[in-house]
Amino acid sequence: MRLSRIVVRDFQAIENAEIELGPGLNVLYGPNDLGKSTLACAVRAALLVPPGTAEAADYAPWHADATPFVALTFLDDQSQYWRIKKSFGATGAT
């Protein structure tokens, strides 16, 4: 199973990011303060952090009063897609 797509909205400094990942090695690079570490934090949060915890409050967007959202899409060996969607507000995981 591999991660094939990341969607992040209103998560700390990221307003909106959609990244398609190909098979094999994918490298994110760029200057400091571009959001690379924040993307990694968003992936971790979607997989490991319960929406109602104190840690989830740290993901509030810096630019607006909005609910942080992360969606991860995985592709398995049988070409089936699996999706994780998580909002870090009152609605919780979906």
Side-chain angles (χ1 to χ4, degrees):
M1 188 173 290
R2 71 175 180 86
L3 181 59
S4 64
R5 182 178 169 98
I6 304 168
V7 176
V8 178
R9 291 195 183 94
D10 301 317
F11 191 95
Q12 293 180 338
I14 296 176
E15 289 183 40
N16 187 18
E18 295 186 27
I19 299 172
E20 296 282 339
L21 301 170
L25 178 66
N26 291 264
V27 178
L28 300 177
Y29 68 94
N32 290 343
D33 293 331
L34 194 61
K36 302 175 301 289
S37 296
T38 305
L39 274 174
C41 181
V43 170
R44 178 192 170 279
L47 294 171
L48 301 174
V49 178
T53 63
E55 183 178 350
D58 294 338
Y59 305 141
W62 300 352
H63 57 276
D65 184 21
T67 301
F69 172 80
V70 181
L72 305 177
T73 304
F74 294 89
L75 180 63
D76 68 14
D77 295 336
Q78 290 79 35
S79 298
Q80 292 182 332
Y81 287 94
W82 300 84
R83 189 166 292 128
I84 296 172
K85 295 180 183 180
K86 192 176 284 186
S87 296
F88 296 93
T91 57
T94 57

